[in-house]
């Protein structure tokens, strides 16, 4: 398997898993199986651990490309 394809699948699993746990927690609160305060604590703990990884994946795939021509600095002219 190609490294790029592996990274893509890992990214889908990581971001999808993060979204799945968040949606599952919210749905358990809506259905009444989980108290709101407990759900907030679960989401805080879970997001503090996994938000860095999700940010890393999103930054990798949607970050600025080194080979594009968009990296040219803008010329800012001073006001007269």
């Amino acid at each position: 398997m190609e490294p790029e394809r592996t990274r893509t699948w890992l990214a889908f699993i990581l971001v999808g898993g993060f979204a799945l746990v968040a949606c599952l927690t919210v749905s358990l609160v809506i259905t009444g199986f989980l108290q709101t305060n407990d759900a907030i604590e679960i989401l805080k703990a879970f997001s503090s651990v996994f938000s860095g990884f999700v940010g890393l994946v999103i930054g990798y795939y949607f970050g600025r490309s080194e080979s594009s021509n968009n990296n040219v600095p803008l010329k800012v002219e001073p006001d007269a």
Side-chain angles (χ1 to χ4, degrees):
M1 187 178 253
E2 297 176 20
E4 185 65 28
R5 179 174 272 181
T6 304
R7 283 192 291 265
T8 302
W9 278 107
L10 287 174
F12 277 124
I13 291 169
L14 185 67
V15 174
F18 184 80
L20 180 70
V21 168
C23 290
L24 181 66
T25 305
V26 170
S27 66
L28 287 174
V29 170
I30 290 172
T31 58
F33 289 110
L34 191 62
Q35 296 294 322
T36 306
N37 292 337
D38 295 335
I40 290 171
E41 291 302 317
I42 290 171
L43 287 175
K44 278 183 188 178
F46 186 75
S47 66
S48 68
V49 172
F50 284 98
S51 63
F53 295 123
V54 171
L56 183 73
V57 167
I58 291 173
Y60 177 79
Y61 282 104
F62 297 106
R64 212 173 211 187
S65 174
E66 290 293 326
S67 63
S68 82
N69 292 331
N70 294 335
N71 292 335
V72 178
L74 295 175
K75 241 182 162 180
V76 178
E77 296 186 19
D79 293 332

